[in-house]
Amino acid sequence: MTISIAVPKEVAPGERRVALVPEVIQKLVKAGHAVRVEASAGALAGYPDEGYATAGATIVPDRSSLLRDAQVVVRVGPPTIEEIAATAPGTIVVALMNASRNLDRIARLRDQKLTSFALELLPRITRAQSMDVLSSQATVAGYRAALIGADHLPKFLPMLTTAAGTIRPSRVLVLGAGVAGLTAISTAHRLGAIVEGYDVRRAAGEQVRSLGAKFLELAINAEGSGGYARELTAEEKQKEQEMLAGAIAEADVVITTANVPGRRAPLLVRKEMVDRMRPGTVIVDLAAESGGNCELTKPDQVVEVHGVTILGPLNLPSQLAFHASLMFSKNLQAFLQLLVKPDGTLVTEFSDEILAASLLTKDGTVVHRPTADLMTGGK
Ligand code: NAD
């Protein structure tokens, strides 16, 4: 049995990534699956159609027929309303759905009776690590954040000893030492900066130090369930602010990556703290999409306040689309293995822990409880 997998071109503004790259498609084809790819789906990520054809994919110029004949549709971002309408009931759709912000599309997925999986809902368990697109894409974002910070700084990051004198290294402060933060720390460290990291989860301290950076210690441990952080109490927030204010005033680049799932991003860099920063310094706020870690961040904009540059870039993984797509593809390949039985047919009972957790809609129902509650406005 072969499974028919479709890869549409992403259509969200500014999106350059593609869900499957030729290297992974070659393996899927070898395993007996039929992979069909919309024409120029990978072009913006550096994967031309010829590479897909060589890997054994069929290039389909027309999106509607691509979707209509698919058993599984794989995407980076959620399908549009038109795409959902063009997809046959019962088809499996796998993507980063960003469900809480796309309730209209989730309603259409439900009404069209599509079986949809939201990759952001994958449980953060060891077995799911190879499928964890949040982690792989956060790695890309953290790397880009360090480069963007360096790019906007009118200084060198490393110490330099030259005939024109010795240049002191710049200081980079990374707030939030999860996947993105740790990659930002290691990248800034490799570029020669003096790096400090901070996170409310005490477990992050060891990881920060292992990358050659200093960990800012606060007598708080806010590790919640599933490896994520919990929200801080008002008193804890106050203590955090006092400690951070000093470190922020000393920094040349501040990279913020702090998030608490399902909530607005914590406000870590207040306006008064920015006032204390030196002209020429830079803030790169990776939490811009979830409200921002800096009070002055404007999503997708560059804000200048008395010489301090504040950037709130959105969709950084798209800026490194080649490797972001490759990593996304490998995650998808691992996820797809859960959907196919040893006899090559599709799984129909989603009892596996990973599938059960990420299942969003099925048979005309929104299966994921928190999303269903959001849609009905209930609790
Ligand atoms: P995230 O994007 O939700 O948050 C980023 C970081 O912000 C986290 O480290 C969080 O602790 C931190 N943070 C939240 N509030 C803060 C505050 N007020 N001040 C400072 N920092 C704050 O998290 P993420 O990077 O996706 O993952 C976090 C952790 O989850 C990882 O470091 C890892 O330990 C774990 N994880 C496990 C798996 C797995 O086992 N499959 C996969 C990925 C991540």
Side-chain angles (χ1 to χ4, degrees), residues 183-323:
T183 317
I185 288 172
S186 64
T187 307
H189 180 68
R190 283 187 202 132
L191 286 170
I194 295 175
V195 188
E196 289 181 324
Y198 170 66
D199 198 294
V200 277
R201 289 179 304 111
R202 207 171 285 161
E206 201 179 313
Q207 291 168 303
V208 169
R209 282 187 286 266
S210 76
L211 295 172
K214 183 181 163 197
F215 187 64
L216 297 180
E217 297 275 4
L218 190 69
I220 290 174
N221 184 14
E223 181 147 349
S225 58
Y228 289 111
R230 65 166 169 82
E231 207 177 20
L232 297 184
T233 64
E235 194 189 331
E236 286 172 337
K237 276 184 189 155
Q238 176 63 29
K239 283 191 186 153
E240 181 184 59
Q241 300 277 313
E242 286 162 14
M243 182 192 69
L244 291 182
I248 290 167
E250 293 293 312
D252 293 297
V253 178
V254 178
I255 298 170
T256 68
T257 75
N259 264 310
V260 178
R263 293 191 178 271
R264 189 207 180 283
L267 257 187
L268 299 176
V269 186
R270 303 254 172 209
K271 187 183 167 306
E272 311 82 78
M273 298 178 178
V274 177
D275 288 343
R276 286 177 57 191
M277 291 178 75
R278 295 184 304 276
T281 55
V282 182
I283 298 173
V284 185
D285 189 346
L286 289 201
E289 198 164 332
S290 45
N293 291 141
C294 173
E295 201 173 350
L296 303 178
T297 298
K298 293 212 169 86
D300 214 16
Q301 287 187 35
V302 181
V303 178
E304 285 250 359
V305 183
H306 74 83
V308 179
T309 307
I310 305 165
L311 301 121
L314 301 178
N315 197 0
L316 283 181
S318 178
Q319 294 185 12
L320 207 88
F322 185 90
H323 276 145

Side-chain angles (χ1 to χ4, degrees), residues 17-324:
R17 291 171 292 174
V18 60
L20 285 179
V21 304
E23 181 186 322
V24 169
I25 288 181
Q26 197 171 21
K27 294 188 180 122
L28 292 169
V29 170
K30 208 168 162 200
H33 304 305
V35 184
R36 293 152 65 252
V37 179
E38 185 176 346
S40 76
L44 293 176
Y47 300 97
D49 286 351
E50 301 81 67
Y52 282 100
T54 309
T58 306
I59 309 295
V60 181
D62 173 51
R63 184 173 305 159
S64 299
S65 65
L66 173 88
L67 294 170
R68 199 175 45 236
D69 301 331
Q71 285 174 287
V72 179
V73 179
V74 288
R75 308 189 41 102
V76 176
T80 62
I81 303 282
E82 296 72 36
E83 285 168 351
I84 294 168
T87 309
T91 306
I92 293 177
V93 184
V94 184
L96 269 173
M97 298 289 182
N98 207 346
S100 59
R101 295 204 194 125
N102 289 304
L103 295 179
D104 53 339
R105 300 195 204 188
I106 309 306
R108 295 298 182 99
L109 286 168
R110 174 197 63 199
D111 297 344
Q112 187 71 6
K113 297 192 169 50
L114 301 186
T115 303
S116 63
F117 289 93
L119 292 169
E120 71 271 19
L121 299 177
L122 288 179
R124 296 199 120 174
I125 55 174
T126 308
R127 194 163 63 87
Q129 269 175 2
S130 59
M131 312 162 196
D132 190 345
V133 295
L134 288 185
S135 288
S136 72
Q137 304 305 294
T139 300
V140 180
Y143 171 80
R144 281 295 301 156
L147 297 188
I148 289 172
D151 194 30
H152 283 80
L153 187 70
K155 287 185 167 185
F156 286 112
L157 284 196
M159 185 181 99
L160 287 182
T161 308
T162 77
T166 299
I167 309 269
R168 282 168 46 193
S170 295
R171 303 182 79 89
V172 175
L173 172 66
V174 178
L175 303 180
V179 181
L182 290 173
T183 317
I185 288 172
S186 64
T187 307
H189 180 68
R190 283 187 202 132
L191 286 170
I194 295 175
V195 188
E196 289 181 324
Y198 170 66
D199 198 294
V200 277
R201 289 179 304 111
R202 207 171 285 161
E206 201 179 313
Q207 291 168 303
V208 169
R209 282 187 286 266
S210 76
L211 295 172
K214 183 181 163 197
F215 187 64
L216 297 180
E217 297 275 4
L218 190 69
I220 290 174
N221 184 14
E223 181 147 349
S225 58
Y228 289 111
R230 65 166 169 82
E231 207 177 20
L232 297 184
T233 64
E235 194 189 331
E236 286 172 337
K237 276 184 189 155
Q238 176 63 29
K239 283 191 186 153
E240 181 184 59
Q241 300 277 313
E242 286 162 14
M243 182 192 69
L244 291 182
I248 290 167
E250 293 293 312
D252 293 297
V253 178
V254 178
I255 298 170
T256 68
T257 75
N259 264 310
V260 178
R263 293 191 178 271
R264 189 207 180 283
L267 257 187
L268 299 176
V269 186
R270 303 254 172 209
K271 187 183 167 306
E272 311 82 78
M273 298 178 178
V274 177
D275 288 343
R276 286 177 57 191
M277 291 178 75
R278 295 184 304 276
T281 55
V282 182
I283 298 173
V284 185
D285 189 346
L286 289 201
E289 198 164 332
S290 45
N293 291 141
C294 173
E295 201 173 350
L296 303 178
T297 298
K298 293 212 169 86
D300 214 16
Q301 287 187 35
V302 181
V303 178
E304 285 250 359
V305 183
H306 74 83
V308 179
T309 307
I310 305 165
L311 301 121
L314 301 178
N315 197 0
L316 283 181
S318 178
Q319 294 185 12
L320 207 88
F322 185 90
H323 276 145

